[in-house]
Amino acid sequence: MGRGANDQGTLIIGGGVIGMSIGWRLAQRGEPVTILEKGQAGQEASSAAAGMLSIANEVKFQEDLSLLLRLESMKLYPDFVGDLESSSGHDVDYRTDGAIAISLHADDTAELRNLYEYQLEKKLPVRWLSGNEARELEPVLAGFVVAGVMCPMDHQVDNRKLVEALKAAYLRAGGELHEHCEVEEVRLQTGSSPEVLAAGEVWRAKRLVLAAGSWSGLIPGLQSWLRPLVRPVKGQALALTMPSADFLTHMIKTPDVYMAPKSDGRLVVGATVEEMGFNRDVTAGAIYELLRGAWRAVPSVYELPLQETWCGFRPGSRDNAPILGKTDVEGFYVATGHFRNGIINTPVTAKFMSELILDDSTPELLQRLSPSRFVRGG
Ligand SMILES: Cc1cc2nc3c(=O)[nH]c(=O)nc-3n(C[C@H](O)[C@H](O)[C@H](O)COP(=O)(O)OP(=O)(O)OC[C@H]3O[C@@H](n4cnc5c(N)ncnc54)[C@H](O)[C@@H]3O)c2cc1C
């Protein structure tokens, strides 16, 4: 595979968590895999994320498909992490302490109660907390926190460690990774293997997987009906330094922000949701709002050192669910559109896509995520 005339194996465009996890699972099964990455692997959305594996806290009315997928992925997470840590030799800081969603006044409380009832309807193991019960679990919460919902199923990883682990496991399994190698054109022709042009060379393989996150719809050469309908949804976030590892144990979701404490002492506070195209500015207003939101819920964050600020681009699809599977062109696959849930949905995506590619397996849930559900005209 790779440069030249050979047409074996799988070529993957994009080395985020999605491309690397699919590549790792394929390489583990002996498939020759090459990933072409325009920058450094994992440095886009996959590093910008907060690493929350949110089941209950991501429940949205009318987004049942997304919930089903996350539940499926969480069943896989513990074994996925075990396999990844032993294959890579890297720890990914998988934490099962859970999350608490809190309300700060009467309006928030009515909204939280409404969501809580929906979570119960979906049979999620959530528990209503009074303000005092929430403060018993997390003493740094503000005295005026009115109520909370404990979400024990909501776990987390350190996504930057996840990125490093996936890269190491993929390389150890025999995968090839070319960084700073931007795919400039995709060439698909009936009856011949897919090809791409990257770094001035032609790369050919039996199969091609498009996993370029927010950029998946932009690569030249793809006919419009094959281009996934994804757009960049900008998220700004920041990290504070906690004074001790037990400053906060649970992830906290407030009406304005979330906070995710990591075992290395970082407290990740996020995130804005902005339709700004690929604008990479980190703005004073966004950082101000994030800090204000964190301070309202946990007043003592006022004293914490500000460690880092950043932004990233969530690949958003039209229905907020990923776009996964085969296309109408033989050998051309798509795995993108993971929006706010790419870290939680990494294990299920890697499983579905590797089994589709190697075994032609198409479980019902995967069929429902097919690229054909959005057909672009022209
Ligand atoms: C602020 C923020 C917070 C988030 N928090 C969470 C969270 O708590 N939990 C969660 O589950 N999800 C979260 N997400 C979402 C999650 O980060 C994404 O869904 C996930 O990282 C998408 O992974 P990906 O591999 O598709 O994309 P990316 O990580 O963006 O990777 C795509 C890769 O493709 C490469 N590429 C693009 N074009 C080309 C080309 N032409 N040639 C070669 N390579 C190319 C890019 O350089 C990039 O490395 C968050 C996202 C943001 C921005």
Side-chain angles (χ1 to χ4, degrees):
M1 188 191 34
R3 292 162 258 211
N6 198 339
D7 61 356
Q8 297 302 301
T10 301
L11 198 55
I12 299 177
I13 307 174
V17 286
I18 299 305
M20 286 199 289
S21 61
I22 296 168
W24 173 48
R25 286 308 198 199
L26 290 172
Q28 275 185 316
R29 290 187 54 188
E31 170 81 352
V33 190
T34 297
I35 295 179
L36 305 179
E37 163 55 51
K38 79 174 158 117
Q40 254 180 289
Q43 297 308 302
E44 292 289 353
S46 302
S47 284
M52 297 181 299
L53 312 176
S54 300
I55 295 287
N57 266 331
E58 267 295 309
V59 163
K60 308 253 183 316
F61 302 108
Q62 312 289 339
E63 288 193 8
D64 289 358
L65 180 58
S66 175
L67 174 62
L68 279 177
L69 189 69
R70 295 200 308 282
L71 285 167
E72 194 65 28
S73 207
M74 278 314 287
K75 280 192 222 152
L76 304 173
Y77 234 102
D79 286 348
F80 179 85
V81 165
D83 190 8
L84 183 60
E85 290 186 336
S86 63
S87 303
S88 65
H90 289 245
D91 167 66
V92 301
D93 193 20
Y94 181 47
R95 295 178 53 159
T96 58
D97 312 277
I100 305 173
I102 57 167
S103 65
L104 299 172
H105 52 67
D107 284 357
D108 298 342
T109 308
E111 209 174 310
L112 188 64
R113 172 71 71 179
N114 197 22
L115 190 64
Y116 169 69
E117 278 161 15
Y118 191 62
Q119 290 164 338
L120 288 179
E121 212 177 291
K122 295 289 156 194
K123 307 213 172 341
L124 300 176
V126 285
R127 184 161 53 93
W128 188 260
L129 304 172
S130 66
N132 282 340
E133 286 169 331
R135 272 184 298 278
E136 267 167 38
L137 291 169
E138 291 294 358
V140 291
L141 286 176
F144 52 80
V145 166
V146 182
V149 174
M150 175 69 199
C151 310
M153 280 182 90
D154 290 22
H155 297 170
Q156 62 166 321
V157 290
D158 183 329
N159 47 293
R160 294 186 182 174
K161 293 184 174 167
L162 183 76
V163 158
E164 290 313 313
L166 279 170
K167 183 171 168 180
Y170 169 70
L171 293 173
R172 280 191 186 180
E176 231 183 83
L177 171 65
H178 297 266
E179 296 181 308
H180 307 290
C181 186
E182 177 169 359
V183 172
E184 289 144 15
E185 189 182 340
V186 173
R187 297 172 181 166
L188 303 171
Q189 274 165 19
T190 325
S192 59
S193 298
E195 284 180 1
V196 305
L197 184 67
E201 294 185 76
V202 175
W203 306 67
R204 183 179 300 141
K206 190 168 177 201
R207 292 171 280 249
L208 178 65
V209 181
L210 177 57
S214 291
W215 296 266
S216 297
L218 298 178
I219 301 177
L222 276 180
Q223 286 160 286
S224 60
W225 57 278
L226 282 172
R227 266 189 261 137
L229 286 164
V230 285
R231 67 187 198 288
V233 182
K234 179 177 174 181
Q236 301 188 52
L238 61 91
L240 302 169
T241 308
M242 294 187 290
S244 63
D246 61 355
F247 177 77
L248 268 181
T249 311
H250 303 84
M251 292 171 282
I252 303 293
K253 185 171 179 237
T254 83
D256 312 308
V257 297
Y258 55 73
M259 284 169 266
K262 304 296 175 190
S263 301
D264 64 3
R266 284 183 311 137
L267 180 62
V268 176
V269 180
T272 63
V273 179
E274 302 169 66
E275 300 282 350
M276 295 284 291
F278 287 102
N279 174 305
R280 285 193 192 263
D281 293 341
V282 173
T283 61
I287 297 306
Y288 167 75
E289 292 295 344
L290 292 172
L291 287 171
R292 195 173 71 112
W295 167 75
R296 280 179 72 209
V298 177
S300 52
V301 300
Y302 200 85
E303 308 294 336
L304 304 188
L306 175 60
Q307 203 179 102
E308 192 187 345
T309 59
W310 66 87
C311 78
F313 304 108
R314 308 170 184 92
S317 74
R318 283 193 171 167
D319 60 5
N320 296 338
I323 306 171
L324 297 182
K326 283 181 187 176
T327 66
D328 288 342
V329 172
E330 175 86 31
F332 180 56
Y333 299 80
V334 173
T336 187
H338 289 74
F339 194 39
R340 301 162 67 100
N341 293 304
I343 307 298
I344 184 171
N345 285 329
T346 292
V348 75
T349 300
K351 178 178 162 63
F352 277 178
M353 291 302 296
S354 59
E355 292 175 2
L356 173 68
I357 289 168
L358 297 181
D359 310 324
D360 205 21
S361 147
T362 47
E364 202 230 320
L365 190 49
L366 178 61
Q367 287 169 38
R368 292 176 65 186
L369 297 163
S370 158
S372 64
R373 76 185 191 280
F374 308 114
V375 177
R376 194 198 280 260

